[in-house]
Amino acid sequence: MDMDNHMTPEPPISQPSAPQPIPTAIPMGPGFAKPPRKKGIGWKIFWGVVLTLSIIANLVLLMSLFGMAALISRTTFTSTEKQFEESVLVEGPRHQTLAVINLEDIIDESMSERIRKQLEQASKDSSVRGVIIRVVSPGGYLSPSDRIYNEIKRFREQTGKPAVAFMQTVAASGGYYTSVACDKIIAEPTVITGSIGVIMSHLVIEDLLKEKLGIEPVVIKSGEKKDWPSMFSRTTDEQAAYLKDKLIRPAFERFLQVVYEGRRDVLTPEEVRQLADGSIYPASEALEKHLIDQIGYLNDAIAATEQLAGIQGCRVIEYRERFGLWDILSVRNNTALKLDRAALQQWTAPQLMYLWDGR
């Protein structure tokens, strides 16, 4: 029996298919997406170098600016010569010049120092033959007002050069106090002046602390008068009389003395005291009461100063603060809002002032 004829044949072993060749090009057509293009590394390196150089250049520039600012600050604000720029108001020969010094706004420590420096610059300049103090101020603090008065008197005595006060708009209280240091006072027709006297004010926050905030102030003192006046308690009649005697009266008597010394040729001490009730006066009444010498404008003040200096046809300049790089790069301390202890003390402490408080 043949066994081979009855056996089932085995299926043939499949042979592995040959590897397909990798196409050298990607087929393009509507069914295929276009691959993104790769950016070159060279551009990245280029822009990186540019950015780095830009940062370095800006740092160098910034350091240079700060260095220049420090140099300007040292040379401008420490030197006593030519600290202020000269702006020409009236052309004329340089060898005979009149300098206009502006006394504007509330009289405080910074204004007192600024006026002192301008007078110092004028005194050292041989071409300056006289000064015009342009006053636009309702007054201010006692000590700065008195220092400006003294600086004007000292300028006149040490240099022999005249000083003329020229009032505009408002020149009251401390503004008038400083004006009487001059040889002559000229006011525009619309000026308000006078207000000879002293004023003091302070805040009382007792009810606010106790009733609104529930805060009870505790003050421990060595004597009864140690904290008079206090912001934590109401001012009694006894306290008001004490403060008037210790503070108001001496400052008021000093004001009367200054006015009499400046106007002794036209006013007696009794007349000065009669005018010193705090009243304000328009220019016409001030002239009538001999508080001023003349009503006029800047050209009249120039003519009066020339006459006192014995010259004619002067060049007139105005002192202005230099505006340098330091002002751009820095913020002055006195312009910043500070809520420190010193600032709070200044705001809440009693303020004794030669000020027309016409609010």
Side-chain angles (χ1 to χ4, degrees):
M1 186 175 182
D2 192 356
M3 297 293 293
D4 294 336
N5 294 332
H6 298 280
M7 294 178 65
T8 303
E10 296 180 0
I13 299 174
S14 59
Q15 297 294 328
S17 59
Q20 299 294 323
I22 299 175
T24 58
I26 299 176
M28 302 296 291
F32 297 93
K34 187 177 180 180
R37 296 180 61 184
K38 295 182 178 180
K39 294 183 178 179
I41 298 178
W43 284 108
K44 293 181 179 179
I45 296 174
F46 172 76
W47 289 115
V49 171
V50 171
L51 180 60
T52 302
L53 292 176
S54 176
I55 293 174
I56 294 174
N58 280 280
L59 288 175
V60 172
L61 177 61
L62 185 61
M63 293 175 65
S64 300
L65 290 175
F66 276 109
M68 292 173 62
L71 179 62
I72 292 173
S73 176
R74 184 168 63 251
T75 56
T76 300
F77 296 102
T78 59
S79 172
T80 57
E81 295 184 1
K82 299 295 183 181
Q83 295 188 67
F84 298 89
E85 294 179 343
E86 298 179 356
S87 175
V88 178
L89 301 179
V90 179
E91 294 289 350
R94 288 183 174 272
H95 67 279
Q96 51 183 33
T97 300
L98 298 182
V100 175
I101 296 176
N102 293 310
L103 195 161
E104 298 180 280
D105 212 347
I106 299 295
I107 300 174
D108 57 10
E109 298 290 341
S110 62
M111 177 183 288
S112 171
E113 183 64 13
R114 188 164 60 250
I115 298 299
R116 183 192 69 79
K117 290 179 178 179
Q118 292 184 53
L119 286 169
E120 183 179 8
Q121 182 166 324
S123 66
K124 292 182 177 181
D125 189 344
S126 59
S127 68
V128 173
R129 308 294 297 274
V131 297
I132 298 172
I133 311 296
R134 177 177 169 268
V135 184
V136 187
S137 173
Y141 297 93
L142 264 65
S143 294
S145 299
D146 189 67
R147 282 197 291 272
I148 293 175
Y149 166 84
N150 182 65
E151 290 296 335
I152 296 173
K153 281 191 64 178
R154 190 158 69 97
F155 170 83
R156 291 173 52 202
E157 293 168 358
Q158 292 184 354
T159 65
K161 301 174 182 179
V164 170
F166 173 54
M167 297 178 171
Q168 290 183 304
T169 311
V170 173
S173 203
Y176 185 73
Y177 188 108
T178 57
S179 298
V180 295
C182 297
D183 294 278
K184 194 170 186 178
I185 302 176
I186 298 175
E188 285 189 339
T190 56
V191 156
I192 296 297
T193 188
S195 188
I196 301 172
V198 189
I199 186 171
M200 186 183 77
S201 61
H202 74 286
L203 299 175
V204 177
I205 59 174
E206 179 183 15
D207 292 342
L208 173 65
L209 294 179
K210 292 181 179 179
E211 299 179 8
K212 302 296 182 181
L213 302 179
I215 298 174
E216 183 72 30
V218 176
V219 178
I220 302 174
K221 51 188 177 179
S222 59
E224 181 186 7
K225 300 179 177 66
K226 182 62 179 176
D227 65 339
W228 287 4
S230 173
M231 63 187 297
F232 301 129
S233 61
R234 297 184 183 278
T235 302
T236 64
D237 292 340
E238 181 186 4
Q239 292 176 1
Y242 169 81
L243 294 170
K244 188 172 183 179
D245 181 60
K246 296 295 183 179
L247 298 178
I248 301 295
R249 185 180 58 78
F252 178 62
E253 292 298 327
R254 171 63 178 168
F255 204 154
L256 295 179
Q257 178 188 356
V258 163
V259 174
Y260 172 66
E261 288 181 357
R263 309 296 295 171
R264 65 172 63 208
D265 293 338
V266 291
L267 289 173
T268 65
E270 292 75 20
E271 290 173 330
V272 171
R273 191 172 293 274
Q274 289 175 1
L275 294 170
D277 61 354
S279 297
I280 55 173
Y281 304 102
S284 57
E285 188 176 0
L287 180 63
E288 179 185 339
K289 296 182 181 298
H290 305 293
L291 290 174
I292 65 175
D293 298 297
Q294 183 180 341
I295 295 176
Y297 296 92
L298 180 59
N299 59 327
D300 299 301
I302 294 172
T305 312
E306 288 179 336
Q307 183 179 9
L308 290 170
I311 53 179
Q312 193 174 5
C314 282
R315 173 175 174 260
V316 182
I317 63 169
E318 180 182 37
Y319 287 141
R320 294 182 180 179
E321 287 190 275
R322 294 183 184 276
F323 185 78
L325 188 59
W326 182 253
D327 300 286
I328 302 175
L329 296 177
S330 66
V331 178
R332 299 284 183 87
N333 289 334
N334 60 355
T335 60
L337 178 61
K338 290 185 176 181
L339 295 178
D340 56 11
R341 186 172 182 177
L344 290 175
Q345 174 69 15
Q346 183 179 2
W347 293 344
T348 57
Q351 302 292 341
L352 192 66
M353 306 183 80
Y354 293 138
L355 177 71
W356 175 48
D357 193 12
R359 291 175 293 180

